[in-house]
Amino acid sequence: MSRDILEETIACVRSRLGDLDEIVIERAVVGLFFSGVKLSTGHAGSAATPIKDIPEAVCCPSSAMAMPFPGKLRGRKAATLMEEAVGSTGVRRALGIAAVNALAQAAAERCGSPGAQVLSDVDAFDAAEIDAGEKVVVVGAFAPFLRSLRQLGADYLVLEKDPATLKPVEIPFFRPAEQAADVIPQADVLLITGTTLINETLDLLLGLAKPTARVAVVGPTVSMLPDAFFRRGCDILGGVEITDPDAFLDVISEGGSGYHFFGKSARKIVLTPRRIHQGDGSSQLRTQQPGRNPI
């Protein structure tokens, strides 16, 4: 289950930051597309808002009962909110993951990212270095990737629970999420949205990938502490480093997305286990995991 990855990441946060009692929530936001928190340390983290867990369109849905103490998060211990990442589902879980990611950013700033190559202002799609002849499977209707795959003329399929999230041009490539066990083993490149951390499917999806597949997990839900992801065979983590927390939270509170915060209040980062240096002196982003076949 994806909570295993989250539990390992929480343990990593505690190990690297030590006593968390003095770190509290300064601000929390639940936006249309993303949720986020800012800590008293000045660090911030984000996660996708599971909007489909709040299906009612009128006030006031019973799902509002799942909100973690509306209006009362400020001043609460960050470690307490972090534990929601492995507890409840829905909005509480999203805010818990955002707290994990905020603390992970603090930990990465303090301790670095041992064993990882960190690349700033790099898109995870570019880091995946997809060749036109490779079979690509995308988990989740991640619009920028689907557009790039069309432009590349790639052979791809997209696993998605709700086909309504796809454009008409993408429907021929759609496969129901229930077909994951048949579709994912076909992938030479597997691109997974970090939202799978919220719906607890990431570990299962990673386990379906063939040993030679190049695997990327992407999105603002992804942590800057990659240890647990790398141990499960991820080659690329594409996340977000929030550079201006208040501006970032303002944007997502107004329904903003990556189009509005990248290059302004946040930047893209890519983490890989290590960079492989080629014999001609150039270096590639493709990575090699212990126990996996070289790419």
Side-chain angles (χ1 to χ4, degrees):
M1 297 175 67
S2 295
R3 68 179 58 196
D4 294 336
I5 292 178
L6 289 166
E7 285 174 347
E8 285 188 32
T9 302
I10 288 171
C12 189
V13 165
R14 292 186 179 279
S15 173
R16 295 184 186 177
L17 288 180
D19 187 3
L20 302 178
D21 285 347
E22 300 302 315
I23 303 177
V24 299
I25 303 298
E26 184 174 302
R27 186 180 173 192
V29 163
V30 177
L32 181 60
F33 299 113
F34 297 105
S35 298
V37 300
K38 178 186 176 184
L39 308 178
S40 55
T41 60
H43 299 92
S46 60
T49 300
I51 194 68
K52 292 181 181 179
D53 287 352
I54 314 173
E56 299 90 339
V58 297
C59 188
C60 294
S62 59
S63 55
M65 298 285 289
M67 287 293 291
F69 313 104
K72 297 181 180 179
L73 280 179
R74 185 170 183 174
R76 291 179 62 85
K77 291 183 179 180
T80 300
L81 182 57
M82 177 172 65
E83 294 299 332
E84 294 285 355
V86 293
S88 302
T89 58
V91 175
R92 294 177 73 108
R93 188 179 184 86
L95 283 170
I97 292 173
V100 172
N101 290 340
L103 289 164
Q105 185 160 328
E109 185 176 299
R110 176 184 295 183
C111 306
S113 300
Q117 174 76 33
V118 183
L119 305 168
S120 296
D121 299 313
V122 173
D123 189 276
F125 187 89
D126 296 330
E129 296 185 324
I130 298 168
D131 294 329
E134 293 181 305
K135 181 78 170 186
V136 182
V137 173
V138 184
V139 179
F142 201 69
F145 281 12
L146 297 181
R147 182 174 59 250
S148 295
L149 288 167
R150 291 198 305 275
Q151 293 171 348
L152 183 63
D155 177 13
Y156 78 94
L157 296 173
V158 54
L159 287 164
E160 172 57 49
K161 290 183 177 181
D162 183 5
T165 60
L166 298 171
K167 297 177 181 178
V169 70
E170 295 161 351
I171 291 299
F173 307 97
F174 162 73
R175 297 294 184 274
E178 294 76 16
Q179 294 183 15
D182 296 321
V183 173
I184 287 180
Q186 301 177 32
D188 300 309
V189 182
L190 178 61
L191 308 175
I192 306 176
T193 175
T195 306
T196 53
L197 281 167
I198 297 176
N199 62 28
E200 297 191 277
T201 58
L202 181 55
D203 254 329
L204 172 64
L205 296 168
L206 292 174
L208 293 172
K210 64 183 180 182
T212 55
R214 197 154 63 258
V215 180
V217 181
V218 300
T221 310
V222 176
S223 172
M224 288 182 65
L225 294 181
D227 307 54
F229 297 85
F230 288 172
R231 275 194 286 273
R232 287 164 175 79
C234 292
D235 299 290
I236 297 163
L237 291 186
V240 171
E241 181 179 4
I242 299 170
T243 54
D244 188 338
D246 284 313
F248 180 88
L249 294 183
D250 286 344
V251 166
I252 64 173
S253 71
E254 296 171 1
S257 64
Y259 298 104
H260 308 103
F261 55 68
F262 281 130
K264 301 178 180 68
S265 56
R267 62 184 177 186
K268 298 177 183 180
I269 62 164
V270 163
L271 297 97
T272 64
R274 64 187 176 92
R275 189 185 291 261
I276 293 178
H277 294 276
Q278 303 297 317
D280 62 359
S282 64
S283 58
Q284 302 294 319
L285 291 172
R286 294 185 182 177
T287 59
Q288 183 176 342
Q289 286 271 7
R292 298 185 64 158
N293 293 334
I295 296 173

